[in-house]
Structure formats: structure tokens, C-alpha cells
Amino acid sequence: MTGRLALAGGAPVWSGDWPGWPQLGPHTAERVAQVLNGERWAISGHWTGRPAIEVELAERFAEFVGARWCVPVDHGSSALITGLHALGIKPGDEVIVPGLTWVASASVVARTGAIPVLVDVDPDTLCIDPQAVEAAITPATVAVMAVHLYSAMADMDALRAIARRRSLALVEDAAQAYGSTWNGAGAGSLGDFGAFSAQQGKTLTAGEGGLLVTSDPGLRERAEMVRGDGRRYTLGPREVGRPELEELSLVQGWNMHISEVQSALLLDGLERLPEQNACRAAAAEVLDKALGAEGDLEPIKPYAANDRRAYYHYAIRLRPGAFAGRSAATVCRALSAELGFWVHTPYRPLNGHPLYDPRRLPGLADQDFAWKFDPARFELPVAHREAERTVLLHHPMLLGSPGHTQAVVDAFDKIRRLADQLPA
């Protein structure tokens, strides 16, 4: 270590490489090449005598999660909106959403015409607060969305009890929780449906893509039709040269099919996911112990029932007065300079996020109840407080060697020691 922070012109703690993301396996290129050299690039293509890759993906992923079925789609947002439409969410309904999450978790609700009702989060997990959910329920409430955030799951026992008692649907946005479990049950399998994103940065990725899981046969059938312009998998014999989708007149849908290339990439990544999750969890355990030792940093505190954690980000919070009282954003800039990898703060809470205002969606500003879409009408003090003191490390940083993990510890130690050099 030097006597100067990298931000102030000193030598950084780490100048080597970090694990890249996405990562390829030994058979990734071969699997993609088989699709490219075949005659079918999507489920809407003609039947070739062999099941589509997306069918195998759906079966394998449902088994991985512990749900009965999976419906692959083109994006994580598509998984959410498909499920919401399959539930029958309609204009004027209210859906309770945590105020600390990516904008799409709430904007998809508005895209159905329903009203996203933002509530605060639990300070220990950064996930939706069940007490805040209970307080926000009105006669118009039809569903609650639990978002499993960064490295923790929402309190599914409490949320399921509320949903049963108040006759509400329970949705899981599990985009960041591939492999997490709650009392042994997979994230995404505990609500009416679970939605996963396969966007570039996710721990299972095809660049873009999404996966909806459910154990409700009616919801699964409606979801298939919603994502397929009203079409679903043919139940009768397939014919070579014809699509294996049958056209029905039951549901108006959209084309949100996933491609066969995406499906091949996800199947390939799914085989490596458990080992990668174990690597991330081991690194996170080391960081929890080492970073918490000085008393100025506080790890996430998951619920006991969250018996297996999956790390989309590793989150650590600054206690009041830590690092000479500098902000988490300033500490993140210093860490980025020391490590050569982007370290950052959480999402901005949705009542102050520049990308989130459903009134900008076509037609919503003209509704009689347009004022209900105004995100500024919701108060989220815990979300703001916790976001302002939280530091996030993206999951590839947890896939390196013990030397990479030690570099993170050393960077925090250096910044702690030289905190007076941090910009005020």
C-alpha cells in the first residue's frame, strides 16, 4: 500500500485483470453453431422432427427452480408483463411494488394499466417490507410483487400469509436470485409466478431473455398464449415443415418468444450456474467476515429462512461516521480507482428515479386516475437512507481467486486508513 489513494494519484491496490462476464463454457460455441447451422432459430419456425431447444430449456429450468412449468420469453420485463396479464391484472387495479428496485419491476405494472403502489423496504435485507405492504392495501389492491434484491430474498412467509389473508396474487421478481432458496424452495417457485431476467449482467444470461415459472396450470396456459400472439404449443401431432404452435382465439397476446440461440446459451449457462453460485457465496462469506471486523461496515442480514443465497451483487453498508463521514458514492469512486472495476451504489429509489414516471407511458396521462401514477406521492425514507450508505460489488468480482477477494479487503482497508484524502 502507498500513502496516497489512487483517486489522489497513488498506485492502486489491484492492477490485474478481473473475471470477465459473460463467460463461455467448453461447449458454448458448439451449441450455438448447431442452432446456426440448423433450420430452426425460434419456436415459431417449422418443426424439424426434433423438439425446440426452448422446450428443453423450459423443462430444465423449471426443475432447477422447483416449479412445474417454465415459459421462456424474450426479456425479463416480458416475463413479468406476461405473468401479470395471465393473472388478469387490468387498468385501475393496484399492485404493490418495493420502492427500491430496477424501474422495470414497477413500469411493467403500469404497462398493464394498473397502478404501481410503491412501498418501503426492510433495512436489513433491502427487500420489500411486509408491514409496509399491509399498510398499503386498499380495496383496489390485487397483487404484491416481491423483488429479491442484490443477495437476499424478501420475507416470503410473511408475504404469502398476507396474500392468502387478503386474497391477493403474489408475484416474485427473481431476476437477481437464480439459485436462492427459502426453506429449501427455489426463488420464483413461492408465488403465483416467478420472473427471471437473462440480461447481460445477470448470473444466467443470453444477452437478453426471460423465464417465467409457475405451478398453476391455468396461468401457464394463459402465459403461453400471451407471449405467443395467442398461440400455444401444439397439443396434437407435429408435422414436419409446419410450426408446432396452434392458433387459438382465447387470448390477445404479443410476440415475446425467445430465440433458439438464446435458449442454447441459457441451457449452457445453467449447467455452470451451481458451481459459479457456490464460488460467489464462498467469496461473500470471506468478505462478510473481513469487512465487518472493523465495525464500520455492515453486511446484509438475510432472513434465516433464506437458507441459500445467490449473489447478483455483494452489498455492504457504511455505518454512520465511517470513512471520515464520506458518502457511499465517494467511497465507491475510490474503490473503483483502487480495484480497476466499477463499484457503485444501489438503484435510486423509484420516487426519485429519473427513468421512472409511468405518466410518460402512452395514454396514461389521459386517465382520470393519472395522479395515482405519480411516483412522488410515495414516501420511501428507508429506501433512500439505505441506498445512500450501500456499496455494491457486481458478481463477477466474486468469481476470481482468493487474491481477488483479498484485494477487495485491502482496498477497503486503504481507503479507511486514508479517508481524509477522499473528496468532501
Side-chain angles (χ1 to χ4, degrees):
M1 289 191 182
T2 70
R4 299 182 70 190
L5 293 175
L7 273 181
V13 164
W14 181 266
S15 56
D17 292 332
W18 288 90
W21 193 261
Q23 296 182 356
L24 303 183
H27 306 295
T28 308
E30 178 186 351
R31 282 175 159 150
V32 172
Q34 287 175 351
V35 175
L36 297 178
N37 293 322
E39 297 180 354
R40 187 181 208 184
W41 288 9
I43 187 69
S44 55
H46 60 266
W47 170 253
T48 61
R50 301 191 328 183
I53 299 173
E54 84 155 50
V55 174
E56 182 183 357
L57 169 65
E59 292 173 351
R60 295 266 301 277
F61 190 73
E63 181 182 6
F64 173 80
V65 171
R68 291 182 67 186
W69 295 288
C70 169
V71 180
V73 291
D74 54 358
H75 297 90
S77 299
S78 299
L80 284 169
I81 201 166
T82 294
L84 293 172
H85 278 290
L87 283 172
I89 305 294
K90 62 185 186 300
D93 287 342
E94 293 181 357
V95 178
I96 297 173
V97 182
L100 184 62
T101 182
W102 176 239
V103 295
S105 301
S107 66
V108 293
V109 174
R111 285 167 61 188
T112 70
I115 299 154
V117 174
L118 306 181
V119 301
D120 221 337
V121 297
D122 176 89
D124 289 336
T125 63
L126 306 184
C127 298
I128 194 167
D129 183 347
Q131 292 185 354
V133 169
E134 191 82 66
I137 295 172
T138 73
T141 305
V142 298
V144 177
M145 183 183 296
V147 180
H148 306 311
L149 196 68
Y150 299 134
S151 66
M153 290 181 68
D155 187 344
M156 295 308 295
D157 289 343
L159 295 173
R160 293 175 84 180
I162 292 170
R164 284 193 299 267
R165 188 171 64 252
R166 305 300 288 267
S167 299
L168 305 175
L170 180 57
V171 175
E172 288 181 85
D173 181 340
Q176 301 184 7
Y178 286 100
S180 289
T181 59
W182 185 270
N183 287 327
S189 72
L190 295 149
D192 291 87
F193 75 87
F196 294 80
S197 166
Q199 175 270 343
Q200 164 98 19
K202 299 301 186 295
T203 56
L204 180 64
T205 181
E208 289 289 358
L211 300 153
L212 179 152
V213 295
T214 185
S215 294
D216 180 328
L219 194 148
R220 176 255 187 142
E221 183 177 35
R222 292 189 298 274
E224 276 190 24
M225 292 185 283
V226 168
R227 66 101 195 221
D229 280 323
R231 299 167 293 175
R232 69 179 181 195
Y233 294 130
T234 299
L235 300 180
R238 274 73 167 166
E239 295 183 42
V240 173
R242 297 174 66 95
E244 61 175 313
L245 297 172
E246 58 180 344
E247 298 179 3
L248 305 172
S249 57
L250 301 175
V251 170
Q252 176 62 61
W254 299 264
N255 181 9
M256 295 183 282
H257 285 128
I258 196 171
S259 75
E260 290 289 89
V261 170
Q262 290 170 294
S263 297
L265 287 170
L266 292 177
L267 266 177
D268 185 75
L270 187 59
E271 293 178 354
R272 289 174 279 119
L273 180 59
E275 181 179 355
Q276 291 171 338
N277 275 348
C279 181
R280 296 183 186 104
E285 185 177 2
V286 172
L287 290 175
D288 277 352
K289 183 176 180 180
L291 297 182
E294 294 294 326
D296 55 358
L297 292 169
E298 179 184 10
I300 293 294
K301 300 175 183 175
Y303 297 105
N306 185 183
D307 47 6
R308 182 183 299 143
R309 294 170 67 187
Y311 290 82
Y312 175 60
H313 283 92
Y314 175 82
I316 191 89
R317 279 86 60 83
L318 278 62
R319 294 187 187 275
F323 295 82
R326 302 303 198 267
S327 69
T330 298
V331 173
C332 284
R333 289 195 294 274
L335 287 166
S336 298
E338 297 295 342
L339 296 170
F341 200 105
W342 183 40
V343 179
H344 55 92
T345 53
Y347 306 126
R348 299 188 201 180
L350 293 179
N351 63 350
H353 201 297
L355 299 181
Y356 180 72
D357 187 344
R359 294 171 298 178
R360 295 195 289 253
L361 288 170
L364 289 192
D366 300 327
Q367 298 291 335
D368 292 338
F369 49 86
W371 64 273
K372 293 186 176 181
F373 291 101
D374 182 1
R377 74 187 183 94
F378 302 103
E379 295 184 1
L380 306 168
V382 178
H384 280 276
R385 185 189 73 219
E386 296 304 316
E388 289 168 2
R389 74 183 188 104
T390 299
V391 171
L392 299 178
L393 309 178
H394 197 212
H395 68 86
M397 299 183 76
L398 306 178
L399 291 176
S401 66
H404 288 95
T405 305
Q406 185 60 47
V408 173
V409 176
D410 291 344
F412 272 99
D413 286 344
K414 180 181 177 183
I415 296 166
R416 178 186 292 114
R417 181 170 56 87
L418 303 176
D420 60 329
Q421 296 181 18
L422 292 169

